[in-house]
Every structure is written in structure tokens, then in C-alpha cells.
């Protein structure tokens, strides 16, 4: 997709958003509330018409595929189900529409742990159960791409682990997953790649490891005063860091050279890794609560 | 890795066509499958099933109520016109289910999973319209078969001749038109008010109030009364002006509701 732009009442909520997804990967779409995540996902799936730009899946816009549920399984809003219908009834209707056998509805209900609640009214489902029903709906046709908006919202730890395994399994079989989430620790464990969106624009896009790698090094020695002096003499700015380390504003190689030349035996030297949370807040301009 | 804003340029990729999922995705579901799903939604919940099961009994009850106590059935018009009240009141349960189907889909956003499986709103609407067409045919047939029997019994009971036997085309025409107009009103209300409670309230209060107001001031309220054309055909109309005005008003509302539907946010 490229250049996706959408404005509501003169306010641009998605601004020139573009990215490509690769098979076999899980991509997390991160951003604070109102950043434009859901609008972007709705534009990808044809529910909202972009003002500019286009999103294609396997070469065509989602809604240009005659039977798009075989291209992408989508969960945008777990609450978007009729509360008077049963889980099985809801999925069987979708199966009929998509042209897959009705028994597939029971298979995905079983897969998501909803077999016992299959005949219960959806109105009686908990938020987590509705979430699992939405994921079951997305998996109905076993599509190559899954687009899931906040899929683990409301799930208990066991449910989160099950969904994480399911998504990783989908990617391992060559599928593609795009999920949005606020639960940063969950994304940390699931995604290969992170897209960060803030104020409607993609502000970071890359593999998780490279995004969270900082340009600073963490270094520790027996004689911390000597270490600090040596680093400053070498022109490296320093700051105190947790756990008795000094944060040196230089790559590991440079810090190593300076300390070796000064004859300081080191107890530890490594690249600083930013937590995903730090990265998220730094890029989106948010603050910790 | 990209930090910051990615370039806004189109990626060039030809659509995939040969992989199995692409083959399946390239074949649209049959239209009748969509119709079947919409028909299933009509009785998708337990309350829908109960309401639909009671609908024929309710219709028969209303027919009995408005045919047997008649004291003057001396003309064909007098024998046919009670049917217009029967259609408006006796089919209320059916119309309630129709309103729940159309408005409920938007209220609960359950239209969203449907549009994600088959994205064409026009196809979706035509499928719903096809279901409504079926409902209309069943209601028309049921009324057309049963009403003359009861009104004949009522006429016999007060020693009046049964006058509709040789006018079956006229009876069928009025039955079809009146049922269609009430069903259309229910559809328009449920399209314009995407909330089951709101739609049902408007349909069950505003439409009967219009009927009452038309009885009191036919020249004025006949202009907007949805069944004016059916009354005209049944020989109880106010005049051509009211008939044409009523048709224009409700067809315009239908057009507006379709435009609203095509632009409504499904997310």
C-alpha cells in the first residue's frame, strides 16, 4: 500500500501511510489511540474509502477480489456481531457466504476453544470470547493474510498465549499477519517487524531488534571514576545508567578502544537495547503514565 | 529498516492468479448464496424465530377481527377496504422481523463481517431486497387466499352478496400493492434509522398515526400517507393529487435511504 491518506472534517487522520508486508512475517502496527491504526486497517479492507493512495493485497485492492475472504481474514471489531445469533450460526453464515463447507465453522470454533459455547447466544459471550470468535471468523477460509485489529484485547493470559502461537504458526506456514496492538509486551514476543504510527504518519518501520537498538553502549568497570574520566578524555559523552553501568554515547567498538588504551579492565560492555515501550513513547511523542 | 516517513510511491505487482487461494478468491460467491444467508438472518435469533412462527396466527386473528364484525358489506369497495387495515396491522410481526433484519445489521455492525466476506454493498442490498421480495410474495399470497374466504363468510352472515368472486384480479392487485407499500415503508424506515428500537418505534407509531390522521383529514395527510395509492386502487382514495404525492414522497425517501446506505460507515 502507498500514500494512504484520509481526512475527516478537515482533520487528516491518516497521512501518506505506506508499507509492504512480506509472507512468513508477523508485523505489528503500533500507535496511541487516534493515531490512525484502525482507519488504515479499514482502508486496507475496503470499508473506508481513502482520499488518496491505494492498498492492494496480492496485486489487487481487497474489495476488487470477487471473494476477498480467501485473500485476507479480517478482524476489525469483535463487537460487530449480532448478539442474538449463536457463535456457530454466525460462522456458518460466513462459511456459506465464503463458499467453504459448514463444518469449517466447527473446526475454527474448536481451534479457538469455543466449541463448548458454539450454540450459546453471542450476547452472552465475554469480551475475550467475542475476540476469539472474531479470530475464528478471520481464519474461516484459511487465508494467506490475517489483518487483526487489537486481537488480544480482553483475552486472558492463556488466550493470549494461544493466539500468539496461532499467529506465529500462521507465519511459520508462510502466511502473513498484520496486527495492531497496545499491548507492547505481547508485540515484543510475537512480531518480526514493527510499524509505529503517530499522528497519522508512519514514524518507524523495521525489524524489532534494529528498532530497539540504541546508539549508546553500556559499560561497567571495577573503577568507575577512572572509566568515566577515560571516556570523557576520549570525547565520549556519558550518563549514569541503571545497575551500576555508565551509558556512553558511542558504539561498543569505540568504547572498547578508549578503555583498552587507558588500560581499564572492564566488567561489562554491551549495546544498549531500548525497550519497545521506550521506543513507542519516544516515536509517538507520548509519555508514561 | 526505515525510520521516519516511507516514500509514497506505488509498488508494482501483478495480481496473483494461479495459487489455490487466489483461484478461490477470484470466484465470487453465487448471488443466491448471499440471498440464502440473508434469508437465514431473518430467523437468525430465537426471538426472530418465535415472532415469525406467530406471524400467521396474528395475521389470521387480525383478519377475523376486521372482517367478521363488519355490518355493511353492500359494495365491492366495502368488502375490499378492510383488507388495507388488515395488511397494515396484521403483518406487523413480519414487518418487525424485516426491520430487525435491516436496521439490526447496522445497529450491531454485524454488516461488517458480511461486507468483509462480500464487499459489494449494492449486491448486499439487492440480496436483502430479494429476501423482502420473497416475504412480500408469501404475505400477498397468504392474504389473497385467506381474506376473501373470511369476508365471504362475513357477507353471508349479514345476508349480503359476496362481490369479490368475479373481481379476483382487482383483489390481487390491491393485495399486492398494499403489501408492497407497507413493506417498502418498513424498509425505508429501517434504512434511514439504523437502530432497531428507533425503527420499530417510528414504524409502529408514526405509520398508524398517519393512518389515523388520514382518516380525519384525508386531503392533507393523504399527501404523505404511504398506503394512499392502495386506497385509491381499492376505491377509497382521496384523489389523484394525494395518490401521486404520496408515491413521490415515499419513492424519494427510498432514493435518499439508498444513498445514505451507500455512504454509511460500516466500521
Amino acid at each position: 500500500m502507498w500514500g494512504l491518506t484520509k481526512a475527516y472534517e478537515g482533520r487528516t487522520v491518516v497521512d501518506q501511510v505506506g508499507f509492504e508486508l512480506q509472507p512468513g512475517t508477523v508485523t505489528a502496527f503500533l500507535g496511541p489511540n487516534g493515531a490512525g491504526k484502525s482507519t488504515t486497517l479499514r482502508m486496507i479492507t475496503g470499508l473506508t474509502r481513502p482520499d488518496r493512495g491505494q492498498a492492494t493485497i496480492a496485486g489487487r485492492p481487497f474489495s476488487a477480489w470477487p471473494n476477498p475472504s480467501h485473500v485476507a481474514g479480517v478482524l476489525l471489531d469483535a463487537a460487530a456481531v449480532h448478539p442474538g445469533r449463536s457463535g456457530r450460526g454466525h460462522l456458518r453464515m460466513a462459511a456459506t457466504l465464503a463458499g467453504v463447507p459448514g463444518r469449517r465453522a466447527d473446526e475454527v470454533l474448536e481451534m479457538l476453544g469455543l466449541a463448548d459455547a458454539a450454540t450459546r447466544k453471542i450476547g452472552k459471550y465475554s469480551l475475550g470470547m467475542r475476540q476469539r470468535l472474531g479470530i475464528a471468523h478471520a481464519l474461516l477460509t484459511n487465508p494467506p493474510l490475517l489483518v487483526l485489529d487489537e486481537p488480544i484485547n480482553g483475552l486472558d493470559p492463556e488466550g493470549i498465549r494461544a493466539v500468539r502461537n496461532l499467529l506465529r504458526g500462521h507465519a511459520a506456514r508462510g502466511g502473513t499477519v498484520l496486527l495492531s496492538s497496545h499491548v507492547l509486551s505481547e508485540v515484543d514476543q510475537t512480531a518480526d517487524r514493527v510499524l509505529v504510527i503517530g499522528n497519522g504518519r508512519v514514524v518507524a518501520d523495521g525489524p524489532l531488534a534494529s528498532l530497539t537498538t540504541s546508539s549508546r553502549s553500556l559499560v561497567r568497570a571495577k573503577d568507575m571514576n577512572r572509566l568515566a574520566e577515560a571516556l570523557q578524555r576520549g570525547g565520549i559523552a556519558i550518563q549514569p545508567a541503571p545497575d551500576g553501568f555508565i551509558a556512553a554515547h558511542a558504539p561498543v567498538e569505540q568504547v572498547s578502544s578508549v578503555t583498552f588504551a587507558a588500560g581499564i579492565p572492564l566488567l561489562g560492555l554491551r549495546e544498549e537495547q531500548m525497550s519497545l515501550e521506550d521506543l513507542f513513547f519516544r516515536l509517538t511523542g507520548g509519555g508514561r503514565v | 529498516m526505515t525510520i521516519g516517513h516511507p516514500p509514497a510511491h506505488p509498488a508494482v505487482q501483478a495480481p496473483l492468479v494461479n495459487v489455490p487461494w487466489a483461484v478461490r478468491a477470484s470466484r465470487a460467491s453465487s448471488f443466491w448464496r448471499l440471498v440464502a444467508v440473508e434469508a437465514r438472518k431473518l430467523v437468525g435469533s430465537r426471538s426472530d424465530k418465535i415472532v415469525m412462527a406467530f406471524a400467521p396466527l396474528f395475521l389470521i386473528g387480525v383478519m377475523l377481527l376486521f372482517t367478521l364484525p363488519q355490518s355493511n358489506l353492500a359494495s365491492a369497495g366495502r368488502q375490499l377496504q378492510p383488507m388495507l387495515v388488515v395488511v397494515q396491522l396484521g403483518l406487523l410481526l413480519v414487518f418487525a422481523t424485516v426491520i430487525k433484519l435491516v436496521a439490526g445489521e447496522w445497529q450491531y455492525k454485524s454488516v461488517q463481517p458480511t461486507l468483509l466476506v462480500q464487499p459489494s454493498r449494492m449486491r448486499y442490498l439487492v440480496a436483502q431486497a430479494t429476501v423482502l421480495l420473497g416475504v412480500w410474495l408469501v404475505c400477498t399470497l397468504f392474504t389473497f387466499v385467506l381474506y376473501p374466504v373470511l369476508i365471504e363468510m362475513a357477507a353471508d352472515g349479514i345476508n349480503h352478496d359476496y362481490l369479490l368472486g368475479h373481481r379476483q384480479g382487482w383483489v390481487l392487485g390491491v393485495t399486492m400493492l398494499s403489501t408492497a407499500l407497507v413493506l417498502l415503508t418498513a424498509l425505508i424506515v429501517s434504512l434511514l434509522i439504523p437502530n432497531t428500537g428507533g425503527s420499530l418505534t417510528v414504524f409502529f407509531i408514526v405509520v398508524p398515526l398517519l393512518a389515523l390522521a388520514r382518516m380525519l383529514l384525508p386531503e392533507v395527510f393523504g399527501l404523505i400517507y404511504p398506503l394512499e395509492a392502495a386506497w385509491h386502487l381499492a376505491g377509497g382514495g382521496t384523489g389523484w393529487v394525494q395518490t401521486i404525492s404520496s408515491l413521490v414522497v415515499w419513492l424519494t425517501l427510498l432514493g435518499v435511504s439508498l444513498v445514505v446506505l451507500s455512504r454509511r460507515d460500516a466500521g
Side-chain angles (χ1 to χ4, degrees):
Chain A
M1 58 185 250
W2 63 91
L4 277 188
T5 301
K6 183 73 186 175
Y8 287 113
E9 294 169 359
R11 194 176 77 86
T12 303
V13 292
V14 175
D15 188 9
Q16 297 280 325
V17 167
F19 53 83
E20 265 183 64
L21 300 175
Q22 297 303 324
T25 60
V26 177
T27 302
F29 199 33
L30 295 178
N33 285 335
K37 299 188 301 292
S38 296
T39 307
T40 303
L41 297 186
R42 288 215 306 269
M43 285 194 281
I44 293 173
T45 53
L47 286 181
T48 297
R49 189 190 297 266
D51 296 335
R52 283 195 304 278
Q54 193 181 31
T56 59
I57 301 173
R60 284 190 209 179
F62 178 84
S63 27
W65 286 96
N67 200 340
S69 61
H70 289 275
V71 179
V74 183
L75 164 63
L76 294 182
D77 181 359
V81 278
H82 197 295
R85 294 175 195 146
S86 69
R88 178 184 280 139
H90 170 71
L91 290 182
R92 277 186 174 257
M93 284 183 206
T96 304
L97 213 51
V100 296
R103 65 173 183 280
R104 177 67 183 156
D106 292 318
E107 285 172 19
V108 289
L109 282 167
E110 180 78 42
M111 205 186 292
L112 271 296
L114 285 172
D116 292 341
T119 54
R120 211 185 298 166
K121 277 166 66 170
I122 298 171
K124 306 270 185 202
Y125 281 18
S126 67
L127 174 62
M129 290 167 83
R130 285 186 190 213
Q131 207 72 30
R132 281 185 279 156
L133 182 67
I135 297 170
H137 185 273
L139 290 169
L140 204 55
T141 59
N142 195 19
L145 170 64
L146 294 176
V147 178
L148 311 170
D149 197 0
E150 307 273 359
I152 55 171
N153 196 16
L155 293 180
D156 56 20
E158 192 188 339
I160 291 174
R161 194 170 53 191
V163 169
R164 184 172 63 216
N165 291 340
L166 201 142
L167 300 183
R168 289 292 345 159
H170 186 78
R173 290 189 298 277
T176 311
V177 180
L178 174 64
L179 74 139
S180 76
S181 179
H182 281 109
V183 186
L184 302 182
S185 57
E186 174 53 30
V187 167
D188 221 343
Q189 296 169 57
T190 313
D192 306 297
R193 174 190 177 194
V194 175
L195 283 158
V196 185
I197 184 170
N199 295 320
R201 295 171 74 90
V202 173
V203 290
D205 173 2
L208 195 53
S210 55
L211 279 180
T212 51
T213 300
S214 140
S215 58
R216 302 196 310 182
S217 305
L218 294 176
V219 58
R220 191 158 70 97
K222 197 170 180 185
D223 187 341
M224 293 298 278
N225 290 334
R226 248 187 94 204
L227 173 64
E229 281 169 21
L231 289 171
Q232 284 173 322
R233 265 202 317 275
I236 297 172
I238 58 168
Q239 277 179 325
D243 302 326
F245 279 85
I246 285 175
H249 289 256
V252 166
E253 295 78 11
Q254 192 184 344
V255 172
S256 174
S257 301
V258 168
T259 53
F260 182 75
I264 300 170
L266 296 182
L267 297 176
L269 173 61
R270 60 183 160 85
E271 278 183 339
E272 184 187 49
Q273 290 287 317
M274 242 189 303
S275 76
L276 187 54
E277 226 166 3
D278 288 333
L279 173 79
F280 180 79
F281 287 120
R282 183 166 63 82
L283 292 171
T284 60
R288 288 171 187 276
V289 178
Chain B
M1 180 182 80
T2 315
I3 299 277
H5 203 250
H9 61 80
V12 179
Q13 187 189 359
L16 292 171
V17 284
N18 292 327
V19 286
W21 59 259
V23 172
R24 290 192 298 272
S26 301
R27 281 197 300 255
S29 267
S30 98
F31 173 71
W32 294 108
R33 231 179 236 169
L34 185 52
V35 173
V37 167
E38 292 307 311
R40 207 188 298 172
K41 283 180 188 173
L42 201 61
V43 286
S45 69
R46 197 173 299 160
S47 65
D48 292 335
K49 287 188 183 86
I50 292 169
V51 168
M52 283 303 249
F54 276 102
L57 296 177
F58 186 73
L59 177 60
I60 292 168
V62 171
M63 272 191 195
L64 290 171
L65 193 68
F66 283 89
T67 51
L68 298 185
Q70 296 287 339
S71 56
N72 182 357
L73 295 173
S75 68
R78 282 188 169 279
Q79 292 188 5
L80 187 58
Q81 283 160 13
M83 192 191 67
L84 296 174
V85 182
V86 166
V87 165
Q88 200 169 323
L89 297 179
L91 294 172
L92 279 183
L93 293 184
V94 177
F95 298 141
T97 312
V98 166
I99 287 174
K100 282 175 72 185
L101 168 69
V102 179
E105 284 293 281
W106 293 94
Q107 179 186 354
Y108 300 116
K109 296 185 192 169
S110 46
V111 66
Q112 191 187 87
T114 305
L115 291 178
L116 287 171
V117 177
Q118 92 66 45
S120 166
R121 288 186 185 208
M122 201 38 73
R123 206 162 173 254
Y124 166 70
L125 183 71
V126 174
Q128 279 197 333
T130 307
V131 172
L132 296 197
L133 194 72
V135 170
W136 171 65
L137 283 174
V138 170
C139 291
T140 299
L141 194 68
F142 198 86
T143 310
F144 178 66
V145 169
L146 206 60
Y147 178 81
V149 174
L150 293 178
I151 204 74
E152 188 176 4
M153 281 167 59
D156 284 349
I158 54 174
N159 294 320
H160 284 175
D161 288 336
Y162 174 59
L163 303 170
L164 300 182
H166 299 295
R167 297 174 172 88
Q168 297 221 341
W170 180 50
V171 175
L172 180 63
V174 173
T175 312
M176 289 172 78
L177 183 61
S178 56
T179 312
L181 288 174
V182 192
L183 199 55
L184 204 61
T185 312
L187 176 67
I188 291 166
V189 169
S190 50
L191 285 175
L192 287 176
I193 307 170
N195 176 290
T196 312
S199 292
L200 287 172
T201 306
V202 168
F203 185 73
F204 289 138
I205 292 179
V206 173
V207 176
L209 275 181
L210 271 179
L212 188 66
R214 183 202 173 264
M215 270 171 59
L216 299 172
L217 280 171
E219 287 81 11
V220 177
F221 288 101
L223 295 168
I224 55 169
Y225 179 56
L227 264 75
E228 189 61 36
W231 277 94
H232 191 113
L233 189 62
T238 316
W240 277 107
V241 175
Q242 282 77 10
T243 299
I244 291 168
S245 162
S246 152
L247 284 174
V248 169
V249 166
W250 287 94
L251 288 176
T252 305
L253 282 173
L254 177 66
V256 171
S257 63
L258 292 180
V259 172
V260 168
L261 176 80
S262 67
R263 294 178 181 173
R264 185 173 288 149
D265 189 358

